Amino acid sequence: MATIGTSTITHTFIAETAEVPEIDVTVAYSRTAERAQTFAAANGVPGWAAGPLDDLLASDAIDAVYIASPNALHHRQAQAAIAAGKHVLVEKPATPTAAEFADLVAAAHARGVVLLEGMRNVYDPGFAAVRDLLPRLGTIRRVSFGYQQRSARYDIVLAGEQVNIFDPAMAGGALLDLGVYCIAPLVDLFGEPPSLVARSIPLPGAADGAGAVLASYPGFIADASWSKITFSHRPSEIQGELGTLTIDHIAAPRTLHLTLLDGTEEHHELGIPRPNLRYHARRFAHLVASGDDPSPDQTRTLRTLRTMDAIRLACAD
Ligand SMILES: NC(=O)c1ccc[n+]([C@@H]2O[C@H](COP(=O)([O-])OP(=O)(O)OC[C@H]3O[C@@H](n4cnc5c(N)ncnc54)[C@H](OP(=O)(O)O)[C@@H]3O)[C@@H](O)[C@H]2O)c1
């Protein structure tokens, strides 16, 4: 496998592949030879590549790519990799819009390669634990998910400069970067919301800094909020008529607390290691090796991205 992008997340991904024996990162790609070489050496990757991405993709030395570039580039890079017959694991959000992802799914299917979004929390065993506890809550009435983490790169924006993660041209912004960690589990647990209202806080000359959605489902209401310009340690919550489940972190559930109507309190320390990129990496390796149909995973991504599209549309109202 080759990696595309040389930021911290690629470093973390490579470290995580130590837990996934089927994945062997053999090439680190960067736009510049100097960065590719330095990054490969620092991360124990035996090979490096630079220059036109198509040259790397034409090589028989790799069978897959991990794409961790700015969001706006995912579609173009994944499309080129798929056309070259490479399996693709692409960072979240797979693409800025559902239509772009649908296009990639069709291309991957036609070419017979695996396309998977690295949406780390929905593959995390902590999320499976959340799902397992849901029936104990009774009829679900309220859901509240949140991810608010002030970005160090916001200081660059405040200084009047542009940076990818806040750049609309790079499909940056809080919804696509952090909101997706709330929307993916929401849609996975409860489906696409039949209706929603949403608002965002646009930053001058930049993308959205924060936002929130109120989504209506038959019989219950869900809210989700995200921010890259403020921070919060408030946990996420699912409330049913028989109890409430508190989730310490929606991007990596590690501590769950169940309070039941009958007074029962259950504290679940899951003891799952962080970071949590290994779980979707394992899923990717499994899909490639087994030839299993990746459609259920891709449908999950499509549904999430459709909801993200609807939120963006509502914010523009
Ligand atoms: N799963 C997670 O926990 C997690 C965490 C952080 C980020 N992410 C995701 O990872 C992706 C990258 O995010 P990031 O914040 O790391 O992005 P970034 O730092 O802005 O860019 C990542 C890499 O992409 C390349 N790049 C940057 N600008 C480019 C451009 N204009 N054209 C082509 N390549 C460019 C750079 O590599 P070279 O200059 O070496 O080519 C850079 O190291 C995003 O999709 C993000 O959502 C996921």
Side-chain angles (χ1 to χ4, degrees), residues 141 187 209 229 254:
R141 293 301 192 185
V187 168
I229 56 176
R254 294 293 174 267

Side-chain angles (χ1 to χ4, degrees), residues 4-10 12 29-32 35-36 39 66-74 76-77 90-94 118-120 147 153 163-165 170 176-177 180-181 276-277 280:
I4 300 173
T6 51
S7 66
T8 309
I9 194 61
T10 304
T12 306
Y29 169 84
S30 168
R31 288 170 297 170
T32 75
R35 252 196 318 275
F39 183 85
Y66 164 72
I67 299 177
S69 56
N71 300 332
L73 304 174
H74 290 184
R76 181 163 22 106
Q77 293 178 335
V90 58
E91 263 301 338
K92 48 55 65 174
M119 190 64 240
R120 62 186 165 93
Y147 193 172
R153 285 177 278 183
V163 61
N164 287 339
I165 203 63
M170 286 292 160
L176 284 166
D177 192 46
V180 70
Y181 286 109
N276 58 351
L277 275 66
H280 60 258

Side-chain angles (χ1 to χ4, degrees), residues 195-200 212-214 307-317:
S195 73
L196 58 82
V197 291
R199 289 293 178 268
S200 65
V213 61
L214 191 64
T307 303
M308 301 276 286
D309 287 350
I311 292 172
R312 214 169 21 249
L313 198 66
C315 289
D317 253 6

Side-chain angles (χ1 to χ4, degrees), residues 165-216:
I165 203 63
F166 283 101
D167 185 353
M170 286 292 160
L175 171 64
L176 284 166
D177 192 46
L178 298 189
V180 70
Y181 286 109
C182 303
I183 304 307
L186 182 70
V187 168
D188 205 42
L189 291 173
F190 305 112
E192 291 174 70
S195 73
L196 58 82
V197 291
R199 289 293 178 268
S200 65
I201 301 174
L203 299 172
D208 58 307
V213 61
L214 191 64
S216 301

Side-chain angles (χ1 to χ4, degrees), residues 88-90 114-118 123 280 283-284 287 297-298:
V88 174
L89 175 59
V90 58
V114 171
L115 166 70
L116 188 76
E117 179 191 49
Y123 291 93
H280 60 258
R283 176 72 181 156
F284 180 70
L287 288 171
D297 303 71
Q298 294 166 345

